[in-house]
């Protein structure tokens, strides 16, 4: 009897998920739990088509029930359609209420489609949280690295040296910790909408979207933001260091680049983040070596051939040296997002974030005033020095004087090396 009850719950979860997914078009296939997604995944189109229809065979496969017939007898809100092949909900509301009355909080927490529906009724349910949980289950269920191995066989080891794959839940950077400009936040919101409405954008033929170039001095939050977006959008992050891809195995480079982009397409939806993008230009200028030129051309071509709308890959590249990029590289991106050295108000807010958990009563406006020209990264270093100096005196309480002293020390140290390292910012 107990297993029949469990089977009934699993079946109703499937039917509700299908129904909600069919109704709510902003839900993406990545919102489906792995077993449902796998079952309905069409490898030809590499997508889960709407509507999801549930046959007896689907139900038995996904729910693991031997025979769904006896289960249905206990569920008055479920019907079998005329032809006797499809199972569906005759009364959605009754089904949703019955389901919620079972012991299913864990199931809802892990199923973004259900969470999207139930969050209207239950403040403890959150669709974004469920996406993070589900993404990590999806990625692990298929075991990302095992998948890569299966796809690339012997080449996978090389490939994994060039690209770091992170799950959203493993990313430590959070957008909440970053102070961004209104323009930046707007762009992020737009990218989010584009991800949500891929089908729509495709239907109206709008493809020039989802390739963003992050530009700005070192230490202004480019790398942190790209990573934080993985968490924010609940998408896996494929992070590539271009210097590795291009220089490590010169002869193999073109193939490596193709493989990295192919991998991103296979793992979609995801973010492909290319840091140090200016390496393209540097290597080009430095070399008449044909192999590098070929590699760069392969890279630019690969960027042309990937699309958010069609492949579900959000491409982000970052550079500290935009002046090194030529037109051929620039024109590949449909958006340039500028990262700026923060103004006084931003500096105050950055201090506020960094010091959020530190025990201190401070005049942040004064600190912001004293730190003109400092990047976010510089401000972090200032706070670190202040904290360490206080610890040297066995204190965990930080004073305004600690921070002012750290600002002065930082200024002194930096005036020595300002010439050759720009703002003297450090990289992460
Ligand atoms: N605007 C900002 N708000 C909060 N922290 C910032 C900001 N800019 C930089 N930081 C901090 O400085 C450090 C270095 O930033 P990073 O993302 O590596 O910069 P970039 O990639 O532009 O060189 C990170 O710890 C980051 O959190
Ligand atoms: Mg960086």
């Amino acid at each position: 009897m107990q297993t029949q009850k469990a089977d009934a719950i699993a079946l109703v979860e499937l039917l509700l998920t299908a129904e909600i997914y069919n109704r709510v078009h902003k839900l993406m296939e990545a919102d489906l739990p792995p077993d449902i997604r796998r079952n309905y995944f069409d490898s030809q189109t590499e997508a889960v088509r709407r509507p999801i229809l549930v046959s007896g065979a689907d139900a038995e496969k996904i729910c693991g029930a031997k025979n769904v017939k006896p289960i249905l007898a206990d569920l008055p809100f479920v019907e079998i359609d005329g032809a006797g092949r499809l199972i569906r909900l005759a009364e959605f509301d009754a089904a949703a209420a019955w389901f919620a009355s079972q012991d299913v909080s864990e199931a809802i927490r892990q199923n973004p489609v259900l969470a999207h529906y139930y969050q209207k009724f239950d403040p403890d349910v959150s669709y974004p949280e469920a996406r993070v949980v589900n993404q990590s289950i999806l990625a692990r269920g298929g075991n990302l690295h095992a998948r890569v191995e299966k796809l690339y066989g012997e080449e996978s080891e090389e490939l994994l040296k060039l690209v770091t794959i992170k799950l959203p839940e493993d990313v430590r950077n959070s957008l909440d910790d970053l102070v961004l400009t209104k323009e930046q936040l707007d762009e992020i919101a737009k990218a989010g909408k584009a991800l949500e409405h891929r089908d729509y954008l495709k239907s109206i033929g709008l493809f020039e979207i989802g390739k963003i170039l992050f530009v700005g001095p070192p230490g202004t939050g480019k790398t942190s933001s790209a990573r934080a977006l993985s968490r924010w959008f609940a998408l896996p992050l494929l992070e590539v260091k271009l210097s590795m891809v291009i220089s490590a195995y010169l002869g193999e480079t073109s193939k490596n680049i193709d493989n990295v982009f192919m991998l991103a397409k296979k793992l979609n939806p995801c973010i492909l983040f290319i840091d140090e993008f200016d390496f393209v230009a540097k290597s080009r200028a430095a070399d008449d070596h044909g192999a590098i030129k070929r590699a760069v051309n392969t890279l630019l071509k690969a960027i042309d051939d990937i699309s958010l709308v069609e492949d579900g890959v959000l491409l982000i590249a970052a550079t500290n040296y935009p002046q090194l990029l030529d037109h051929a590289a620039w024109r590949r991106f449909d958006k340039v997002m500028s990262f700026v050295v923060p103004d006084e108000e931003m500096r105050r807010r950055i201090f506020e974030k960094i010091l959020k958990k530190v025990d201190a009563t401070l005049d942040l406006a004064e600190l912001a005033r004293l730190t003109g020209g400092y990047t976010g990264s510089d401000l972090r270093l200032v706070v670190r020095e202040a904290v360490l100096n206080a610890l040297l005196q066995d204190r965990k309480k930080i004073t305004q004087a600690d921070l002012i002293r750290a600002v002065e020390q930082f200024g002194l140290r930096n005036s020595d090396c300002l010439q050759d390292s720009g703002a003297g910012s450090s990289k992460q």
Side-chain angles (χ1 to χ4, degrees):
M1 223 42 229
Q2 203 46 45
T3 59
Q4 183 153 331
K5 184 68 176 265
D7 288 346
I9 292 174
L11 176 65
V12 177
E13 173 171 3
L14 169 61
L15 294 170
L16 284 170
T17 304
E19 182 67 29
I20 298 166
Y21 181 78
N22 293 343
R23 286 185 190 183
V24 184
H25 278 238
K26 69 169 259 198
L27 292 170
M28 296 179 268
E29 63 192 54
D31 290 330
L32 294 165
D35 42 1
I36 301 181
R37 186 189 198 210
R38 213 176 295 128
N39 189 69
Y40 291 100
F41 193 75
D42 174 0
S43 55
Q44 206 86 56
T45 57
E46 302 234 346
V48 176
R49 298 237 155 259
R50 284 188 170 86
I52 293 183
L53 302 174
V54 181
S55 68
D58 292 325
E60 283 162 18
K61 196 148 114 215
I62 296 169
C63 308
K66 291 237 168 50
N67 183 357
V68 289
K69 281 255 167 61
I71 304 173
L72 295 180
D74 292 340
L75 303 171
F77 43 78
V78 175
E79 67 178 12
I80 297 193
D81 89 340
R85 299 200 32 236
L86 295 179
I87 307 172
R88 60 175 177 228
L89 296 173
E91 295 165 60
F92 177 85
D93 291 340
W98 178 86
F99 186 74
S101 71
Q102 310 297 316
D103 181 16
V104 289
S105 54
E106 194 57 18
I108 295 174
R109 199 178 72 84
Q110 299 184 354
N111 179 332
V113 175
L114 292 182
H116 186 269
Y117 175 78
Y118 283 107
Q119 70 180 358
K120 283 178 281 196
F121 311 104
D122 183 348
D124 289 340
V125 173
S126 148
Y127 166 64
E129 262 312 304
R131 294 197 66 207
V132 172
V133 175
N134 187 46
Q135 273 295 338
S136 70
I137 295 173
L138 260 181
R140 268 209 227 98
N143 189 327
L144 270 184
H145 285 212
R147 262 181 85 186
V148 174
E149 239 159 65
K150 205 159 143 228
L151 289 169
Y152 296 96
E154 287 180 353
E155 288 168 20
S156 63
E157 201 179 317
E158 292 294 275
L159 188 55
L160 290 172
K161 281 184 200 154
L162 307 175
V163 46
T164 322
I165 307 178
K166 288 202 189 93
L167 301 174
E169 53 156 19
D170 295 334
V171 171
R172 284 163 106 221
N173 310 71
S174 156
L175 272 194
D176 284 344
D177 295 333
L178 292 163
V179 173
L180 299 174
T181 62
K182 172 146 189 333
E183 289 75 29
Q184 289 173 316
L185 293 172
D186 283 351
E187 279 317 318
I188 291 172
K190 283 183 203 162
K193 285 290 170 201
L195 277 162
E196 253 176 46
H197 297 286
R198 275 167 59 197
D199 288 346
Y200 167 69
L201 293 169
K202 195 169 174 173
S203 73
I204 62 169
L206 206 59
F207 298 104
E208 305 82 3
I209 217 156
K211 295 178 195 175
I212 309 178
L213 182 62
F214 285 4
V215 166
T220 50
K222 298 180 296 298
T223 303
S224 317
S225 296
R227 291 179 182 160
L229 285 183
S230 155
R231 226 196 135 83
W232 183 249
F233 292 139
L235 296 176
L237 178 74
L238 276 71
E239 190 171 322
V240 182
K241 281 229 156 55
L242 209 47
S243 53
M244 284 287 286
V245 176
I246 291 190
S247 60
Y249 315 90
L250 249 187
E252 305 274 286
T253 295
S254 292
K255 195 173 77 198
N256 287 335
I257 291 170
D258 283 336
N259 280 345
V260 166
F261 277 74
M262 187 91 75
L263 180 62
K265 289 182 187 178
K266 299 258 185 213
L267 297 181
N268 92 83
C270 66
I271 297 177
L272 175 59
F273 173 47
I274 308 179
D275 218 345
E276 309 175 346
F277 189 71
D278 39 89
F279 198 86
V280 165
K282 271 191 232 161
S283 54
R284 222 195 243 176
D287 134 283
D288 34 15
H289 207 267
I292 293 186
K293 266 205 190 93
R294 273 200 301 283
V296 169
N297 288 334
T298 307
L299 177 70
L300 296 181
K301 174 100 177 29
I303 294 178
D304 278 341
D305 289 345
I306 206 162
S307 149
L308 173 71
V309 173
E310 292 196 292
D311 306 308
V313 179
L314 174 64
L315 178 80
I316 301 176
T319 175
N320 297 336
Y321 308 103
Q323 68 280 7
L324 294 181
L325 297 179
D326 61 12
H327 179 69
W330 275 101
R331 73 171 178 80
R332 259 66 193 194
F333 296 90
D334 25 59
K335 201 78 216 176
V336 173
M337 196 191 284
S338 296
F339 284 72
V340 293
V341 175
D343 64 16
E344 192 171 317
E345 171 58 14
M346 281 176 80
R347 292 196 299 276
R348 190 190 60 73
R349 288 170 51 214
I350 294 174
F351 269 125
E352 203 170 70
K353 302 233 184 227
I354 306 175
L355 291 159
K356 191 168 54 185
K357 292 185 186 148
V358 177
D359 181 9
T361 326
L362 300 165
D363 178 356
L364 298 183
E366 182 188 24
L367 296 174
R369 232 175 6 256
L370 293 172
T371 46
Y374 285 48
T375 63
S377 164
D378 297 336
L379 300 182
R380 280 196 86 88
L381 293 178
V382 164
V383 170
R384 186 190 67 187
E385 279 316 292
V387 167
L388 290 177
N389 281 329
L391 282 179
L392 271 185
Q393 301 168 11
D394 291 323
R395 274 188 296 124
K396 286 195 178 141
K397 200 166 168 55
I398 310 294
T399 65
Q400 184 80 357
D402 290 328
L403 278 158
I404 291 178
R405 198 155 62 100
V407 170
E408 281 164 0
Q409 281 174 349
F410 188 90
L412 279 180
R413 198 152 18 96
N414 250 38
S415 58
D416 297 338
C417 56
L418 211 57
Q419 276 85 350
D420 49 53
S421 68
S425 320
S426 70
K427 286 193 196 162
Q428 216 180 327

